[in-house]
Amino acid sequence: MASESDLVEFIDFKQSECLNAAESDKRPWENVLKQGPRSMDTLLLSSECDEQLLLNIAFNQKVKITAIRIRGVDANTSPKTVKLFVNKTRFDFDDVQSNPPAQVIQTTSQDVTTKLKLLSFQSTDSLTIFVENNLGGGEVTQVCEIVLFGSSVATTNMSELKKIDEH
């Protein structure tokens, strides 16, 4: 098994989406996930209609997620309550209200790294991040950076196995 590291290389950006993102046609959620752009405080993911954001992240293989770092812009617009859902593809706002999260994170500052429950995130195909509100209680939530830490889950792809001829 691979050592624990940034899981960005396992994110399937074409299959990932963010609901209620301002300028969604520019796919701003990719900037907060990708190495390089996410370190630039000017490339933000901002909520549009209210303070909530819903990010559905697909992976190109199973991963084990051990921790998450969420960095906001400032003390007022940074996420406060973050709910994480595992292996729930294409969740929407109704789904997050009617399904129990795998973990709830309550932040108290604009830059938080949280260890995740080991059993809940061991074999993850997709992760839904629901930002319910922000620290300032306002209508706009802004995120600069989201980093997922963990490792790939080593699996055997049965379709790649070749039959050995007996002689």
Side-chain angles (χ1 to χ4, degrees):
M1 185 156 50
S3 63
E4 187 175 304
S5 61
D6 184 346
L7 295 174
V8 69
E9 70 182 280
F10 302 110
I11 296 174
D12 184 344
F13 287 98
K14 291 181 182 174
Q15 297 299 318
S16 300
E17 67 176 355
C18 186
L19 304 180
N20 196 37
E23 298 183 354
S24 62
D25 58 321
K26 295 180 182 174
R27 301 178 63 84
W29 57 92
E30 290 186 10
N31 291 331
V32 301
L33 292 167
K34 290 182 177 177
Q35 292 174 343
R38 69 181 177 209
S39 62
M40 301 167 67
D41 290 348
T42 55
L43 297 175
L44 306 174
L45 171 59
S46 297
S47 62
E48 188 169 53
C49 297
D50 58 23
E51 73 280 10
Q52 297 183 339
L53 286 166
L54 183 63
L55 183 58
N56 289 304
I57 301 171
F59 296 99
N60 56 29
Q61 68 180 63
K62 288 191 181 298
V63 295
K64 176 173 75 171
I65 307 171
T66 57
I68 184 172
R69 177 182 184 203
I70 302 172
R71 185 170 61 90
V73 178
D74 58 45
N76 289 321
T77 61
S78 295
K80 179 180 178 183
T81 306
V82 179
K83 296 181 179 181
L84 304 176
F85 299 85
V86 179
N87 298 334
K88 307 290 187 189
T89 57
R90 302 290 182 213
F91 247 33
D92 62 25
F93 288 102
D94 290 335
D95 293 325
V96 296
Q97 298 301 330
S98 60
N99 289 278
Q103 188 164 343
V104 177
I105 301 168
Q106 292 289 336
T107 69
T108 56
S109 69
Q110 72 186 54
D111 191 349
V112 175
T113 300
T114 303
K115 290 201 176 290
L116 301 182
K117 296 176 185 175
L118 191 58
L119 292 176
S120 298
F121 301 89
Q122 279 192 64
S123 185
T124 306
D125 292 311
S126 65
L127 178 69
T128 299
I129 301 172
F130 173 53
V131 177
E132 190 169 44
N133 51 27
N134 58 50
L135 291 171
E139 288 293 312
V140 175
T141 298
Q142 293 182 314
V143 179
C144 295
E145 180 175 26
I146 297 174
V147 184
L148 301 171
F149 297 98
S151 60
S152 65
V153 175
T155 59
T156 301
N157 185 344
M158 299 304 281
S159 65
E160 292 178 358
L161 293 179
K162 294 184 179 172
K163 187 175 182 179
I164 299 175
D165 290 333
E166 293 181 28
H167 295 286

